[in-house]
């Protein structure tokens, strides 16, 4: 298996790049944001709980997210690899992911970190947006440090258009895969 993490602040265009990468490398896209939005749409108990956190710009509790990822793994047993998008968002999630992958006798191949953001402005409450940035700094940046320590990180110059960035990401993956 070949597993990737795409890492970047809110509004850094992770979604677009993820779609392109999963297609090119035949990976399963695991976006916890997308999974949570589906749960909310389906009005499941998990979705109802998650919505109360998301609406405030807070993270959904680790155990909820980890449980969801675990179930998603079970649904995709034959996968060649996963692309994690928006996950892990806390060091606790990163450790849980390491454990889950170890059980599958695999690991994270690379963590691709994008520098500059696209500056997308969501149609979102200013306070919620500020909250999300604060949470990113406090909870999610330590995840980057965690993978840097494990020597898994590749940083990508985030300037340029979608195709420029995609080429940079692909070059790193190709080098790692061969
Ligand atoms: P963005 O990429 O715009 O930051 P996502 O679509 O990844 O947003 O996620 C939307 C919201 O869902 C997050 O702001 C957060 O509240 C919640 N969420 C998504 N993934 C996670 C996760 N791994 N852990 C905790 N909360 C999450």
């Amino acid at each position: 298996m070949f597993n990737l993490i795409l890492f970047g602040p809110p509004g850094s265009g992770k979604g677009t790049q993820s779609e392109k990468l999963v297609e090119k490398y035949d990976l399963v896209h695991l976006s916890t944001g997308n999974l949570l939005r589906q749960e909310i749409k389906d009005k499941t108990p998990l979705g109802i709980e998650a919505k109360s956190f998301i609406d405030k710009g807070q993270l959904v509790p680790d155990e909820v997210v980890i449980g969801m990822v675990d179930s998603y793994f079970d649904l995709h047993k034959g996968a060649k690899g996963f692309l994690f998008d928006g996950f892990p968002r806390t060091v606790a999630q990163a450790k849980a992911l390491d454990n889950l992958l170890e059980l599958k006798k695999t690991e994270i191949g690379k963590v691709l970190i994008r520098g500059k953001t696209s500056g997308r402005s969501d149609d979102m409450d200013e306070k919620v947006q500020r909250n999300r940035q604060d949470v990113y700094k406090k909870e999610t940046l330590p995840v980057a440090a965690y993978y840097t320590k494990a020597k898994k990180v590749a940083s990508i110059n985030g300037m340029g258009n979608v195709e420029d960035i995609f080429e940079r990401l692909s070059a790193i993956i190709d080098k790692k895969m061969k």
Side-chain angles (χ1 to χ4, degrees), residues 85-98:
D85 165 13
F87 173 85
R89 277 253 223 316
T90 65
V91 171
Q93 290 179 17
K95 288 182 177 165
L97 178 61
D98 278 350

Side-chain angles (χ1 to χ4, degrees), residues 123-162:
D123 50 351
M124 216 189 283
D125 209 87
E126 212 178 289
K127 184 158 169 273
V128 171
Q129 211 158 155
R130 212 176 321 119
N131 236 340
R132 277 165 43 116
Q133 297 288 350
D134 288 349
V135 166
Y136 180 77
K137 279 192 202 133
K138 214 169 113 220
E139 307 274 351
T140 307
L141 276 182
V143 177
Y146 176 84
Y147 287 114
T148 302
K149 211 168 146 200
K151 302 209 180 342
K152 304 237 178 209
V153 169
S155 293
I156 284 97
N157 170 357
M159 304 287 286
N161 62 28
V162 170

